[in-house]
Amino acid sequence: MPTFSDLGLPRPIVNVLTKQGIEEPFPIQEAAIPAVLDGRDVLGRGPTGSGKTFAFGLPMLALLAGSPSKPGHPRGLVLAPTRELAAQIRQRLDDPAAAAGLRVLEVVGGVNINNHIRSLAAPVDLLVATPGRAQDLINQGKLSFDSVAVTAIDEADQMADMGFLPQVRKLVDATPENGQRLLFSATLDGDVEKLVQRYLTDPVTHSTAPAQAAVDTMQHYQLLVGSRESRNEIVPLIAAREGKTIMFMRTKHGVDRQVKKLRRVGIEAQPLHGDKGQGARTRAIEGFTDGSVPVLVATDIAARGIDISDVSLVVHIDPPAEHKSYLHRAGRTARAGTSGTVVTLVMDEQRKEVDQLLRKAGVDAQKVRVTPMSDELVKITGAQEPHGRPLPPPGQPQTTKRSRGKRR
């Protein structure tokens, strides 16, 4: 097994990885890093959680090291579909970049644009951006891609699903035509394939296990809950389990309502959806990462690209609308070779729909009839009775004021 040094990364970057306990590259890193360092275009296909951020990010830093950048004119560009993913990429690359004497900046929607304008007034080497905010800054004359030598497009299939590809094309067109391009995607559908043909020249292609194969490291269950009332009783029991849990709902309203219900029974749950401000989203993800928030309730789009280790259970409270969403949701667990459990709560009237969905996703899920606190429910999910005090809505402080009367 080669080391990161063997792959050609400079010593300061390797030292940072060693300090973080990262010694051996993942397969996608082993394949992509030498190719990027050689100046080749790279097409990386693999599920989220396969180590893609370091596969493109570390060699980009190595290529940028040793040369100066100008304010507002980054030399490296990473485009990401969501604010959360952009933040995670920047956080991952901060320490290796600092060791190489480089500055990484993240510009995303939902944050006051003046903060970004101020940040761009100093030289920036690697810019991590969501497409909309990057275009806003270009339109205002505060950002230019005329010095970009290497561009990475991450989670290209999600960009396509979210309708961002026209913006992505416009942004890549603003970079020098002879620049190096790296594209990473879990799947290579029609729209992503067009992007590859338009921008990548004779790319080195590396595929890790596709989304379906990654699903094999997970245990899948259809939990047949019967009625809606029974399902609603079961959700807090699962949420009260030990460990990190992500629960999915189809709508933002459903997410908010579910979080309120869980917090009423003392479960520290946080919502994640597109209407939340950046501060609330950051707090939710940081709390989930450090374990102080054990339950995230999310919509599909909001949770895309979230790369948090040790998520042991994914719960589809609402089954997803289509099979690709199932694979993206399920991909929040069993990351980087670990295992995890994925359960779909299926009401009687949803059974046919869910069967069809899983068949399209290539998933064989065991069907188990469950009731609140039944042995099967406890065994599969670790469900237990919640026993915390009621919590206020997210973002509101816990009240400590006691009533003056005697307790009865």
Side-chain angles (χ1 to χ4, degrees), residues 14-195:
V14 174
N15 288 344
V16 168
L17 299 180
T18 305
K19 276 184 194 163
Q20 293 177 355
I22 302 167
E23 305 276 355
E24 294 183 353
F26 288 160
I28 200 165
Q29 294 162 355
E30 189 181 332
I33 287 172
V36 178
L37 292 174
D38 283 346
R40 297 285 304 275
D41 285 2
V42 171
L43 172 59
R45 180 185 173 192
T48 51
S50 56
K52 287 182 292 184
T53 300
F54 277 175
F56 63 77
L58 296 180
M60 285 178 81
L61 295 174
L63 291 171
L64 298 174
S67 300
S69 296
K70 294 183 294 186
H73 293 259
R75 292 178 297 126
L77 170 66
V78 178
L79 293 174
T82 65
R83 301 183 268 190
E84 286 74 26
L85 182 58
Q88 287 186 349
I89 292 169
R90 196 260 311 145
Q91 285 161 5
R92 291 261 164 88
L93 297 180
D94 259 347
D95 289 345
L102 297 168
R103 179 169 178 249
V104 183
L105 179 65
E106 145 208 352
V107 298
V108 297
V111 174
N112 188 319
I113 197 166
N114 291 320
N115 296 347
H116 295 148
I117 291 169
R118 280 193 293 274
S119 297
L120 286 165
V124 54
D125 301 293
L126 179 64
L127 185 77
V128 185
T130 50
R133 180 48 55 95
Q135 192 61 58
D136 289 344
L137 288 160
I138 289 173
N139 293 347
Q140 291 195 27
K142 305 298 182 185
L143 177 63
S144 170
F145 287 165
D146 60 1
S147 300
V148 171
V150 55
T151 302
I153 301 170
D154 194 19
E155 305 279 6
D157 53 335
Q158 293 183 25
M159 296 274 206
D161 289 348
M162 296 165 78
F164 288 166
L165 288 195
Q167 281 180 302
V168 169
R169 285 194 291 269
K170 193 172 178 186
L171 292 169
V172 180
D173 285 342
T175 68
E177 203 174 326
N178 61 351
Q180 185 178 0
R181 272 77 184 257
L182 321 172
L183 186 144
F184 290 80
S185 186
T187 57
L188 296 178
D189 300 59
D191 285 338
V192 176
E193 188 57 47
K194 284 180 199 160
L195 213 56

Side-chain angles (χ1 to χ4, degrees), residues 185-262:
S185 186
T187 57
L188 296 178
D189 300 59
D191 285 338
V192 176
E193 188 57 47
K194 284 180 199 160
L195 213 56
V196 172
Q197 288 168 2
R198 179 164 170 173
Y199 294 112
L200 272 63
T201 307
D202 186 26
V204 174
T205 302
H206 179 75
S207 283
T208 57
Q212 267 85 353
V215 164
D216 294 342
T217 62
M218 311 166 195
Q219 289 182 296
H220 298 262
Y221 294 92
Q222 286 193 48
L223 299 185
L224 308 178
V225 296
S227 67
R228 183 175 296 275
E229 291 71 24
S230 176
R231 185 196 73 170
N232 292 348
E233 276 184 65
I234 284 170
V235 171
L237 302 174
I238 297 176
R241 65 186 285 275
E242 299 292 328
K244 292 182 185 176
T245 308
I246 297 187
M247 300 184 139
F248 282 98
M249 309 283 295
R250 279 195 191 175
T251 67
K252 298 168 189 174
H253 179 61
V255 166
D256 287 337
R257 206 169 50 204
Q258 189 60 64
V259 166
K260 278 182 188 161
K261 286 181 187 173
L262 294 177

Side-chain angles (χ1 to χ4, degrees), residues 250-302:
R250 279 195 191 175
T251 67
K252 298 168 189 174
H253 179 61
V255 166
D256 287 337
R257 206 169 50 204
Q258 189 60 64
V259 166
K260 278 182 188 161
K261 286 181 187 173
L262 294 177
R263 292 181 70 86
R264 267 190 226 124
V265 294
I267 295 166
E268 179 56 87
Q270 289 283 347
L272 196 65
H273 60 64
D275 283 356
K276 294 291 165 194
Q278 187 58 30
R281 287 160 67 130
T282 300
R283 276 195 305 277
I285 289 191
E286 285 178 353
F288 194 58
T289 303
D290 68 25
S292 58
V293 173
V295 180
L296 272 188
V297 186
T299 56
D300 291 1
I301 295 292

